[in-house]
Amino acid sequence: MTQLSVNVNKIATLRNARGGNTPNLIQMALDAEKYGAQGITVHPRPDERHIRYSDVYELKEVLTTEFNIEGNPKEEKFIALVLKTQPHQVTLVPDATNQITSNHGWNTIEHKDFLIKMIDKFKEAGIRTSIFVDPDPKIIEGAKETGTDRIELYTESYAQNFATNKAMAIEPFVAAAKKANELEIGLNAGHDLSLENLRYFSQNIPGLLEVSIGHALVADALYFGWENTIRMYRNELT
Ligand SMILES: CC(=O)[C@@H](O)[C@H](O)COP(=O)(O)O
Ligand SMILES: NCC(=O)COP(=O)(O)O
């Protein structure tokens, strides 16, 4: 059964918009767990545009499901945060500081030595590692070389092409998943997954352990409510 990790970045975006504590990020994360989230994901970016480093420490103290922290380990501050908070999983994402959102995976061949160093550091601390990659079999072979526990398939291209031709959209991800299964690398996925495209993805991707979903889920919750929306997303997963 694929696990749903709810990314709460956009709850923090709304909270920060007025400088107070409404919506209460910690309470919404706890309620997400109560409503069926099997994990909570955060992506504390260097400019703290949404998730603040202080949020990560507070969440660590109260969460009871899997805690997944995403970020780029080129930032020493990120490495220190992860080592101090000891999440279940760290997902390494090659974002530049000024990116509006994540828009590419690692070049696991070009950055092999750096990734090996970072993955060793987090694994030695007992933290499961995942690295954000495009659905490219060569890149996934490179991921195997890094020793990472898991990869996270960057699913924006699937989401973008889904409405036009879902069979074509999912093809590269099926091939990538089969390669990950063959190499015995754990398989996660995320970015722009939604109520429209999640079920088809989940039904066709072999060995999918976890999806992390935030932007579309929070947007849907504006219509359907936090509890209903989380239950609806859980219902789309096989
Ligand atoms: C890695 C990934 O695809 C997303 O979790 C990303 O972290 C979303 O970041 P924003 O919420 O800042 O768009
Ligand atoms: N790793 C993907 C994630 O956590 C959320 O991505 P999105 O659903 O906000 O696009």
Side-chain angles (χ1 to χ4, degrees), residues 12-228:
T13 299
L14 183 57
R15 176 200 59 192
N16 296 358
R18 188 161 286 186
N21 195 34
T22 303
N24 181 320
L25 175 81
I26 306 305
Q27 189 55 52
M28 291 204 73
L30 290 172
D31 288 342
E33 293 184 315
K34 189 165 66 176
Y35 302 149
Q38 293 152 311
I40 297 294
T41 291
V42 294
H43 190 150
R45 294 182 178 275
D47 60 10
E48 295 190 305
R49 68 188 71 164
H50 39 53
I51 295 292
R52 300 176 183 135
Y53 277 54
S54 56
D55 293 325
V56 181
Y57 289 106
E58 279 191 67
L59 285 167
K60 169 62 185 178
E61 290 307 307
V62 297
L63 294 182
T64 57
T65 60
E66 283 226 338
F67 193 23
N68 175 39
I69 303 178
E70 299 179 333
N72 190 331
K74 75 175 181 350
E75 305 284 343
E76 283 297 329
K77 206 177 158 194
F78 176 76
I79 296 174
L81 175 75
V82 173
L83 293 177
K84 275 188 200 151
T85 47
Q86 292 284 308
H88 296 86
Q89 176 176 268
V90 60
T91 300
L92 308 184
V93 186
D95 286 1
T97 307
N98 59 353
Q99 275 180 225
I100 187 171
T101 188
S102 306
N103 61 14
H104 65 284
W106 289 98
N107 182 326
T108 57
I109 297 149
E110 196 178 300
H111 297 116
K112 176 180 173 184
D113 293 343
F114 173 70
L115 287 169
I116 288 172
K117 187 169 164 234
M118 291 297 111
I119 287 162
D120 283 353
K121 186 187 291 285
F122 292 122
K123 285 176 80 168
E124 271 160 31
I127 301 166
R128 185 173 72 221
T129 62
S130 180
I131 60 174
F132 197 59
V133 295
D134 295 295
D136 175 336
K138 288 276 176 252
I139 290 294
I140 294 167
E141 285 166 0
K144 182 67 179 177
E145 297 296 301
T146 68
T148 188
D149 297 305
R150 296 192 185 180
I151 58 173
E152 177 178 338
L153 293 180
Y154 169 43
T155 48
E156 182 178 4
S157 63
Y158 164 72
Q160 277 183 338
N161 297 317
F162 178 79
T164 313
N165 183 336
K166 63 185 180 182
M168 177 273 288
I170 205 161
E171 223 169 74
F173 293 88
V174 173
K178 287 178 176 170
K179 175 60 76 175
N181 293 177
E182 174 199 314
L183 297 173
E184 296 182 331
I185 311 171
L187 185 64
N188 295 347
H191 203 93
D192 282 344
L193 293 174
S194 69
L195 278 178
E196 288 74 31
N197 62 42
L198 182 56
R199 181 179 292 268
Y200 187 71
F201 192 84
S202 168
Q203 286 173 338
N204 287 280
I205 300 298
L208 183 61
L209 298 171
E210 174 190 290
V211 289
S212 43
I213 308 176
H215 195 91
L217 189 151
V218 172
D220 287 331
L222 298 175
Y223 283 102
F224 306 120
W226 196 226
E227 179 172 0
N228 279 337

